[in-house]
Amino acid sequence: MKPLIGKVALVTGASRGVGKGIALGLGEAGATVYITGRTVEEGKAAVTLPGTIYQTAEEVSQLGGQGIAVRCDHLKDEEVNGVFQRIQTEQNRLDILVNNVWGGYEFFNDGTEFWKEKGFWTVPISRWDKSFQAGVRAHYVASVLAAPMMIAQQSGLIVNISFFAAQRVDKGVVYTVAKAADDRMAACMAYELREHQVAVVSLYPGLVRTESVMKSAQYFDLSNSESPQFIGRAIAALATDPDIMRKSGQILIAAAVAQEYGFRDIDGKQPRPITVAES
């Protein structure tokens, strides 16, 4: 039996990458998954990578869920508001919000390019603005719109996709501060939503075999890597935990969640949780 049948999820920024994998992980568990992104036509994305919101929605449905693609630019509040109004009208509930959408690195030639920059004073200030607007602020706006629906239900799960860089000082000022802000946002939202039985967590993937990573696979040791769908399975497991409130406000690691709840990656492997030092 699919444990998320009857549940409604929204995954932001899910044309490809981690977002797409999360949508697939929720879809295989039976959820109705709304998928946002800007790419509606193959080959016309801000990055030179494959994937569209419609392809993700189709794959979600093929896995046994219901995928619903909604074009949305998360820099435009009116479009984001329209997504939530549509969910309210069509479903009258929202059980899971995954804040995955991110911005600021669309124009690098490969997935490792931005790590080669040395010195925050050499990085264009626009990178800060884009990372906070299309990342941190977008997560905040979506959470603001999701909270009333979840409060009305007295249930729900909000997940901020973050990363170990939040706890390091050598991964670039912009990226590090933005991810740390996402972690702190989750903790503060968890505090305010606890009385309403709405859980909020930050979730760290390991090294994920996204389209971007695989395009530059020669730069990576993939021996302990994860499929994009693996983190979706982690969120599905959290969403079906009747005692999820005990984790609210925490930073969780997808591979550790897998060990706790007893699931594996789509290739049958059990990725090892990495440490901050290894990230």
Side-chain angles (χ1 to χ4, degrees):
M1 179 179 178
K2 295 183 180 295
L4 291 181
I5 288 178
K7 301 297 184 180
V8 179
L10 167 60
V11 183
T12 69
S15 299
R16 63 189 63 80
V18 170
K20 177 178 180 178
I22 292 168
L24 298 182
L26 296 175
E28 71 174 348
T32 295
V33 187
Y34 284 77
I35 295 145
T36 65
R38 294 175 297 171
T39 309
V40 297
E41 188 175 345
E42 187 69 71
K44 293 190 177 181
V47 292
T48 56
L49 294 169
T52 72
I53 55 174
Y54 297 114
Q55 290 171 4
T56 299
E58 181 178 354
E59 291 183 39
V60 166
S61 297
Q62 289 172 351
L63 286 171
Q66 181 183 7
I68 301 173
V70 186
R71 190 205 175 279
C72 177
D73 183 343
H74 282 268
L75 291 173
K76 299 178 180 178
D77 290 355
E78 66 276 12
E79 293 188 11
V80 182
N81 191 58
V83 173
F84 283 88
Q85 288 181 345
R86 178 172 172 179
I87 294 172
Q88 179 73 66
T89 299
E90 294 180 354
Q91 308 294 337
N92 196 34
R93 67 180 299 111
L94 179 63
D95 300 284
I96 305 162
L97 167 65
V98 183
N99 286 316
N100 171 75
V101 68
W102 197 258
Y105 300 99
E106 295 91 340
F107 302 106
F108 288 98
N109 293 323
D110 65 64
T112 64
E113 191 77 17
F114 69 93
W115 298 119
K116 299 174 184 177
E117 295 178 333
K118 300 299 181 183
F120 68 88
W121 53 92
T122 70
V123 176
I125 292 175
S126 61
R127 184 84 50 73
W128 176 281
D129 296 335
K130 191 68 177 292
S131 293
F132 275 81
Q133 291 168 359
V136 180
R137 185 182 186 279
H139 297 176
Y140 180 73
V141 171
S143 299
V144 166
L145 295 171
M149 298 173 66
M150 293 181 173
I151 290 169
Q153 300 163 188
Q154 289 291 289
S155 67
L157 172 64
I158 298 174
V159 180
N160 283 356
I161 301 302
S162 189
F163 196 58
F164 295 93
Q167 300 179 44
R168 295 187 60 156
V169 297
D170 59 343
K171 294 300 185 181
V173 173
V174 174
Y175 188 68
T176 295
V177 174
K179 288 302 184 184
D182 253 346
D183 288 353
R184 195 61 180 162
M185 184 198 310
C188 294
M189 291 192 303
Y191 175 79
E192 295 192 15
L193 286 170
R194 182 170 294 276
E195 65 180 294
H196 303 290
Q197 297 302 301
V198 177
V200 190
V201 299
S202 276
L203 186 60
Y204 291 5
L207 175 59
V208 183
R209 298 188 298 274
T210 63
E211 298 88 348
S212 178
V213 166
M214 297 311 295
K215 184 178 179 181
S216 307
Q218 68 271 24
Y219 295 104
F220 301 100
D221 176 3
L222 299 175
S223 60
N224 190 49
S225 61
E226 303 164 3
S227 74
Q229 197 167 325
F230 181 67
I231 195 168
R233 289 183 171 183
I235 294 171
L238 293 169
T240 54
D241 183 348
D243 198 21
I244 184 59
M245 292 305 299
R246 65 190 168 91
K247 287 183 165 56
S248 192
Q250 296 182 16
I251 294 170
L252 306 175
I253 299 170
V257 171
Q259 291 180 347
E260 178 181 354
Y261 290 93
F263 65 87
R264 292 178 174 266
D265 207 341
I266 58 174
D267 57 5
K269 293 182 179 179
Q270 189 82 63
R272 173 182 58 82
I274 63 174
T275 65
V276 173
E278 293 176 290
S279 64

